[in-house]
Amino acid sequence: MMRLYLPRDAATLALGGEALATAIQAEAARRGVAVTLIRNGSRGLFWLEPLVEIETPQGRLGFGPMQVEDVPGLFGPDLARHPKALGLVDEIPFLARQTRLTFARCGLTDPLSLADYEAHGGFKGLNRAREIGPAAICAQITASGLRGRGGAGFPTGVKLETVRKAEADRKYIVCNADEGDSGTFADRLLIEADPFCLIEGMAIAGQAVGAARGYVYLRSEYPQAIETLRAAIALAERAGKLPGFSLEVRVGAGAYVCGEETALLDSLEGKRGMVRAKPPIPALHGLFGRPTVVNNVLSLATLPFIMAEGAEAYASFGTGRSRGTMPVQLAGNVRHGGLFETGFGITLGELVEEIGGGTASGRALRAVQAGGPLGAYFAPHQFGTVYDYEAFAAQGGLIGHGGLVLFDDRVNMARMARFAMAFCAHESCGKCTPCRLGSTRGAEVLDKIIRGERRAENAALLEDLCETMKFGSLCALGGFTPYPVMSALKLFPEDFGLTPHAAALA
Amino acid sequence: MKQSTPPQDWDHSLVDDIVARHKGAEGPLLPILHELQAAFGFISEDAMRLVAQALNITRAEVYGVVSFYHDFRTAPPARHVLKICRAEACQAMGGEAQAEALLARLGLGWGEATADGKLAVEPVYCLGLCACGPNAMLDGAPRARLSEAGLDALVREALA
């Protein structure tokens, strides 16, 4: 019996995975070879997808990026000479250099096999959580140093402890899976590759605070993730893995602002996704006015590791106040694009140049946007910046949800700045004026600069507007849109028709 | 979401069924609207009225929610919907220029449909395939690493 693996995730599907699966079965039948084709999750090495793996006594051999015409060769006598042969998958440098804690099972297992999940350490964390009880769970998570991986970086243990101590008739665990930032796909990858890990993490959070109900707010742009997670929840519930905890997937409706936690809660309640003023904080007054844990997929999916292996095991990775690992996502014009989970402390340059291999086009790397549409651009002279929350903040940027989007020297940064303002205008919930009006006026001012109208004056006006948005907006949408705009202006004034001196004055 | 079955004609009792199935849930409005759109292709005035009655909220509230979210339509969609990603990672791979060229060839603007109602081209902001762009989604099925020829092939597939 020959065992092969081909991912079932959205990326593989989008790259012709179903045709490959059919071709593999057909070729096996033609040759009379018995095969088991396991549809695993993606390893996150997207430049090699579709990646087919064949199990051998030495380990799993990889072949990619596969096309239908490469399939017959998989049944040939000399696999090492297959034109798409990659050797042992575990030894591919991009994978070998990672520290996979949260993503340890991704790509190894069948996402919808509970047996596979348990064979790879699944539910160990939840079982331990049940033994030690709520106060000890919160203490462990606080000690691990885990901070919210959605972007805000708030200590997860502190949030859990706040909800645990709140008194109410019921409490909720809400998972923010509204992964709208361009350049990020870690939530999707995890849900499609290891959905039980998220489920277990949410159940641990439920144990920690005394919540019996959880919701996953998953964006509608991810139909495969929705399907996989719903199937996984049904399997876990049927197998009695979640006693006293019920879980439901709710689908978003294409509003980026619903990734903001309070807008997400309003959306879950069946309202327009309008941002709420804080305080009160969701931990005390969240979904339907009840104490609510709202955390990103990655934060919740890291809880099983911390519970199973202990807080110290997690905190031993990382640097300074950024403990543990971050699944960095290399995207855009990048040669080796994919998910790279690593301890904090690596430099931005190592990530984009060594690991990412520079641009896909082979041209000069000109700019990197870190942290999604609300994150600052970085220029090559800043590539020495250490990848952690504090060092990025010191550079006027943010690591956000871990996305890094690479651009080559053909990018026009004035257009990117305009796009940031226009995107904010398109997605603003409309509740606060700086965001609602500021973004539209910002795009107009940028149009004037691009057209060459009184450039220096308009650049000064743009900076003033950005200050207003930054300090006057209710949430990060209006508050952080100035980051990409101002960083583009300061770092690349020539694209705005300005001299570096004029841009510095702006 | 994937449109596996073609939208069906107005059916009062189907609306009632959908509403009844979700009415007891916490915050049932979005799940109801998603199911209505999956069944009928869009959310009509009549459907909004029935939902408002059943949930004991005003029609204005229902309309407010429908109009807030980019996904919800209040008019029948084109037979096929091609969503092209316009976000930063796809732009970095030349996706925007490719999309603009396609729209020019089809004589369409963003969000518009061909005269025969066969194909609409809509913007989408990120499909989570950002390491293999440019990307698009045809009737709910994702497509990645699209070249100009690949995008044309998708359009031909839809118009066939």
Side-chain angles (χ1 to χ4, degrees), chain A residues 102-122:
Chain A
T102 308
F103 285 76
R105 275 178 297 263
C106 290
L108 282 180
T109 55
D110 173 348
L112 292 177
S113 163
L114 268 172
D116 227 4
Y117 184 65
E118 290 183 89
H120 287 80

Side-chain angles (χ1 to χ4, degrees), chain A residues 86-317:
Chain A
L86 301 163
L88 289 169
V89 176
D90 287 336
E91 289 175 4
I92 297 173
F94 188 94
L95 203 54
R97 280 187 71 175
Q98 299 194 39
T99 304
R100 286 212 163 178
L101 309 182
T102 308
F103 285 76
R105 275 178 297 263
C106 290
L108 282 180
T109 55
D110 173 348
L112 292 177
S113 163
L114 268 172
D116 227 4
Y117 184 65
E118 290 183 89
H120 287 80
F123 295 117
K124 217 171 121 187
L126 180 58
N127 291 338
R128 169 126 188 286
R130 288 201 181 106
E131 282 161 31
I132 65 175
I137 302 171
C138 291
Q140 278 286 300
I141 294 164
T142 303
S144 76
L146 176 67
R147 293 166 69 175
R149 297 286 186 251
F154 187 80
T156 306
V158 174
K159 188 184 283 182
L160 289 173
E161 181 72 1
T162 308
V163 178
R164 182 179 79 83
K165 285 187 171 157
E167 304 232 355
D169 59 341
R170 58 185 198 271
K171 301 175 183 178
Y172 294 100
I173 307 298
V174 170
C175 172
N176 185 345
D178 197 45
E179 187 178 52
D181 287 358
S182 174
T184 66
F185 42 79
D187 295 353
R188 179 187 67 70
L189 183 69
L190 185 111
I191 290 172
E192 291 175 354
D194 195 15
F196 295 123
C197 182
L198 173 61
I199 293 169
E200 183 182 350
M202 290 183 73
I204 291 169
Q207 281 284 319
V209 305
R213 186 143 184 80
Y215 289 100
V216 181
Y217 188 89
L218 224 172
R219 60 202 299 263
S220 62
E221 292 86 346
Y222 286 1
Q224 289 74 33
I226 294 167
E227 204 178 305
T228 303
L229 188 56
R230 282 189 168 147
I233 290 170
L235 285 168
E237 285 182 345
R238 218 174 301 143
K241 296 291 175 191
L242 307 170
F245 190 69
S246 70
L247 205 49
E248 189 182 331
V249 175
R250 286 290 174 93
V251 179
Y256 175 76
V257 76
C258 289
E260 195 283 331
E261 60 175 1
T262 61
L264 186 154
L265 293 175
D266 267 21
S267 184
L268 266 181
E269 291 180 7
K271 301 173 190 160
R272 294 159 69 90
M274 303 286 277
V275 173
R276 300 177 185 174
K278 287 190 273 193
I281 55 170
L284 298 175
H285 192 91
L287 189 60
F288 302 107
R290 303 306 196 288
T292 303
V293 174
V294 188
N295 267 124
N296 172 252
V297 173
L298 305 178
S299 317
L300 291 163
T302 300
L303 302 186
F305 176 88
I306 296 170
M307 280 296 111
E309 307 300 325
E312 295 74 30
Y314 191 73
S316 68
F317 297 97

